[in-house]
Amino acid sequence: MATPKTRTSKDPAAYTGEDASAVKRAEAFQDWRDKIQLCWFQDAWWFDQDERYKFAQILSCLGGNAFRTLAPHVMPIIKEEDPTKWKWENAETLLIHLGTKYNRMDLTLEARRDLESLKMSKGTRWLDFEDKFVTIVDKCDLDEAMKTHYLKMKVTNEIRDAIAHQQDTPAHNDFDGWLTLHRKLATNLEERDWRNKTNVYYKTGTGGTSSGTAAPERTVSQGGTAMDLDAMNAFDVQLSRMIDKAVIDYRMQNGLCKRCARPGHYAHECRNSINTGIPKEQRERDRRNRRGRGSNSNRGRPAMGQSGYGNTNGNNGARVNAVATGEPAAPAAAPAPAQPAEYGTGNAPPLH
């Protein structure tokens, strides 16, 4: 006796059509409908025996309000052998009927709206963006060239700039090639940002520094570009005008940022305020002194750094700050030339 066949396909979860979102309701119906039709294909030997098997499967895979509204119309079909008395000609026609009720959204149009509003923001992980982008463009029914166009538009400016400097790029309609190139560059940028945040830096071919301090700037022979070095040189010149060389040298020797004196990053990547190494109190006295020069109220008073002005030790405040931070003190300002005695007594010399 031959062993009877058994079905190999598995019925989908019951569809209720009760989702509040029209888009989600339509998407769920399309998934459910496709799985029903897949069962008919996989087990054609079973469903092709009698069309009523398909009607029965559709009804059994519905739930909630969808089942309650359809059961009074399908149960008579299952019991009736004469197809001329059925409300629907076949099971495929029943699926079309259900689609007019639960699949009234144009999902392609919705996907294009989502694509227009999609934008990769700074700090978003590339894999998260890629998954969302690919899911949307697959629903938009776009060709490969248009997918590539939208990919270039939706990434961050940083990734777009990195792409612009690439010499070997895929063809304009090679979406998979462009997606791979974007993924590679975005991953490299994310790794760089992670190293900056965790204070882990690596030299070319020598691995990372165990202390977590910034590695030395790379020369052209070590992998840096001439453009990068020109920009850093111009930055160093500007920085040397604001911070004393002894302070900069100390910070470099101790793995600190030349700009803010904090560890873990380079000066040209620094977003902190400039730390000149001069105490705040002294900077305020300098500003007051500059603001007061030339006014009658300050005439005859000693200039900053001279005996009798504020702190008699001249640049003692900077030395105190250096002891606290370990940095060398910024050099004291050169003493201003002494004013003539006439300006101190108010007896101005006659004009000639």
Side-chain angles (χ1 to χ4, degrees), residues 43-341:
D43 292 317
W45 66 271
W46 167 261
F47 290 105
D48 288 347
Q49 297 181 62
D50 193 328
E51 191 70 16
R52 290 179 297 174
Y53 290 174
K54 296 181 180 179
F55 281 105
Q57 188 206 23
I58 291 176
L59 185 61
S60 65
C61 292
L62 292 175
N65 290 331
F67 175 84
R68 287 190 289 270
T69 57
L70 192 65
H73 305 286
V74 175
M75 288 303 297
I77 295 177
I78 297 175
K79 297 176 182 179
E80 178 59 55
E81 294 184 3
D82 186 3
T84 60
K85 297 181 180 180
W86 295 351
K87 183 173 182 178
W88 294 283
E89 181 181 354
N90 51 46
E92 194 68 44
T93 307
L94 175 57
L95 287 180
I96 296 175
H97 167 74
L98 292 174
T100 60
K101 183 176 182 180
Y102 299 111
N103 190 27
R104 291 179 289 184
M105 289 292 300
D106 185 351
L107 295 182
T108 300
L109 179 60
E110 279 301 309
R112 295 201 176 191
R113 290 176 179 173
D114 292 340
L115 183 59
E116 291 297 331
S117 61
L118 178 65
K119 185 70 176 178
M120 183 181 181
S121 58
K122 187 174 178 60
T124 303
R125 291 186 60 198
W126 170 259
L127 292 181
D128 295 336
F129 168 79
E130 180 182 338
D131 290 344
K132 189 172 184 180
F133 177 82
V134 172
T135 300
I136 292 176
V137 294
D138 285 345
K139 295 179 181 178
C140 292
D141 194 23
L142 301 174
D143 59 26
E144 299 297 292
M146 285 303 299
K147 289 180 181 180
T148 302
H149 168 73
Y150 276 107
L151 176 63
K152 295 177 181 179
M153 287 179 54
K154 299 302 180 179
V155 298
T156 62
N157 292 334
E158 189 175 26
I159 298 177
R160 194 178 299 121
D161 292 342
I163 290 291
H165 288 84
Q166 301 302 306
Q167 295 181 351
D168 298 328
T169 56
H172 72 283
N173 59 350
D174 184 5
F175 173 69
D176 291 337
W178 281 102
L179 189 63
T180 302
L181 178 60
H182 278 75
R183 185 188 305 119
K184 177 181 178 181
L185 294 176
T187 303
N188 291 341
L189 292 172
E190 288 177 2
E191 183 179 2
R192 182 205 64 184
D193 293 341
W194 174 81
R195 288 176 178 175
N196 289 343
K197 290 180 181 179
T198 56
N199 298 337
V200 179
Y201 292 82
Y202 296 88
K203 299 179 183 178
T204 303
T206 60
T209 58
S210 59
S211 61
T213 57
E217 305 285 2
R218 292 187 295 175
T219 64
V220 174
S221 61
Q222 294 173 328
T225 64
M227 184 180 297
D228 292 339
L229 295 176
D230 289 342
M232 286 188 289
N233 290 338
F235 178 82
D236 289 340
V237 171
Q238 183 181 7
L239 203 61
S240 64
R241 296 173 180 172
M242 296 179 286
I243 304 176
D244 185 71
K245 185 178 184 302
V247 177
I248 293 178
D249 292 342
Y250 173 84
R251 293 174 180 176
M252 292 182 64
Q253 294 170 2
N254 290 273
L256 304 175
C257 170
K258 293 182 289 187
R259 175 186 171 96
C260 69
R262 297 178 183 178
H265 58 270
Y266 298 119
H268 64 273
E269 299 171 342
C270 182
R271 296 294 181 268
N272 301 320
S273 301
I274 296 178
N275 183 353
T276 61
I278 302 176
K280 181 178 179 181
E281 294 80 5
Q282 182 176 336
R283 293 199 302 270
E284 291 178 354
R285 287 199 300 269
D286 291 345
R287 283 195 294 270
R288 288 197 300 268
N289 187 48
R290 288 193 298 268
R291 202 165 45 236
R293 283 179 185 171
S295 63
N296 292 331
S297 61
N298 284 328
R299 288 183 177 178
R301 295 185 179 181
M304 180 180 174
Q306 292 182 344
S307 177
Y309 179 88
N311 190 335
T312 58
N313 291 327
N315 200 29
N316 185 54
R319 287 195 292 272
V320 172
N321 181 68
V323 172
T325 62
E327 288 190 4
Q339 300 288 353

Side-chain angles (χ1 to χ4, degrees), residues 9-20:
S9 60
K10 184 178 180 181
D11 290 339
Y15 176 76
T16 62
E18 297 175 353
D19 199 303

